[in-house]
Amino acid sequence: MLIIEITVSNLEFKGARYMGEEELARAHLYISGIVQGVGFRWSFVEVAERLGLKGWVRNLPDGRVEAVVEGPKDAIEKLIEWAHRGPPLAVVENVEVIWEEYKGEFDSMEIRWV
């Protein structure tokens, strides 16, 4: 018996992109609570990089933290789970997540300044 294995990378299907078997995604996050002045952005970048994600994070004038991240959807979901807790001094009240179409526009994870 002959078994042929085929691997398809960067398959595009119904707005989702796949790399091998991983679905690539993009999420826009708004995190509210005591999330500024507590190392949230620095910790966010560290966690995102460990998960292999790319994008940016920044403080907003209204006291929230905003972030856009891209990469494997399961890794983004792990980052969102972490964002509900944040670093030790943060008190997270809400994490709003807006799923967007993957664009692949980032080369790294960075902190942006308003």
Side-chain angles (χ1 to χ4, degrees), residues 8-28:
V8 179
S9 54
N10 291 328
L11 174 67
E12 205 164 326
F13 180 74
K14 293 186 181 177
R17 291 184 116 182
Y18 295 86
M19 180 168 283
E21 294 187 20
E22 291 185 321
E23 180 181 356
L24 297 178
R26 177 184 176 108
H28 200 140

